[in-house]
Amino acid sequence: MKEQIFISYKRVDEERVFAIKDFIEQNTGAKCWIDLEGIKSDAQFASIIISAIREAEIFLFMYSNAHGNINLDNDWTIRELNFAEKRGKRIVFINIDQSPLTDWFELMFGTKQQIDATNSDMLNRLCDDLCSWLGI
């Protein structure tokens, strides 16, 4: 089965993000693409990311306080987010630690659906929405 959902995240948030990924897969039956072990070279990384985003129907952006002081021109999660936006992917922000969006994120992506991952009702509703969007 191809990965239907692409998950973008900061490596420092790996533990929380993987728990959310597992929850989504268990509650939807959908398959998520996530960089599990790191990709060795930048060239290889770019081609793998491009392919994974193109093939996914939904893009989940795992937002946290780790996004507060990033270099917006060089951060891979921002590159992934911009690429997904340009490809017309359905983008959902998953806030994994209740950090408020920075002004830049609010300006650029404040209209996207926002999910508080610390709220189990919201995570359950996300799974319902994912099933609906993916026709599961």
Side-chain angles (χ1 to χ4, degrees):
M1 169 193 261
K2 85 172 192 172
E3 289 86 358
Q4 300 160 298
I5 301 167
F6 182 97
I7 296 178
S8 178
Y9 71 104
K10 301 296 286 175
R11 185 117 4 238
V12 297
D13 297 323
E14 185 174 308
E15 187 175 319
R16 284 184 274 194
V17 169
F18 281 47
I20 295 166
K21 172 200 166 290
D22 291 344
F23 180 85
I24 289 169
E25 288 182 337
Q26 290 168 1
N27 287 281
T28 65
K31 182 86 172 119
C32 297
W33 188 95
I34 193 166
D35 175 17
L36 297 173
E37 297 165 2
I39 302 168
K40 304 304 178 213
S41 73
D42 279 348
Q44 179 189 27
F45 186 80
S47 66
I48 290 170
I49 294 296
I50 288 167
S51 177
I53 293 172
R54 280 191 173 162
E55 292 177 16
E57 295 180 46
I58 298 168
F59 183 95
L60 301 182
F61 188 81
M62 301 292 174
Y63 184 85
S64 75
N65 65 353
H67 289 94
N69 292 317
I70 59 173
N71 180 326
L72 295 171
D73 293 324
N74 294 319
D75 185 82
W76 271 101
T77 62
I78 301 302
R79 291 177 183 186
E80 293 166 354
L81 182 59
N82 286 331
F83 186 78
E85 172 106 274
K86 288 178 182 174
R87 296 302 177 269
K89 300 298 177 178
R90 181 184 297 268
I91 297 171
V92 180
F93 272 65
I94 312 294
N95 191 320
I96 65 173
D97 61 5
Q98 296 186 319
S99 293
L101 293 179
T102 65
D103 289 345
W104 185 86
F105 276 101
E106 187 68 42
L107 175 67
M108 301 303 289
F109 299 101
T111 60
K112 301 295 181 193
Q113 183 176 5
Q114 310 277 323
I115 301 295
D116 177 357
T118 66
N119 180 316
S120 60
D121 288 338
M122 289 189 86
L123 279 179
N124 285 320
R125 280 196 300 264
L126 171 65
C127 288
D128 291 343
D129 286 344
L130 292 169
C131 286
S132 176
W133 298 330
L134 295 169
I136 297 173

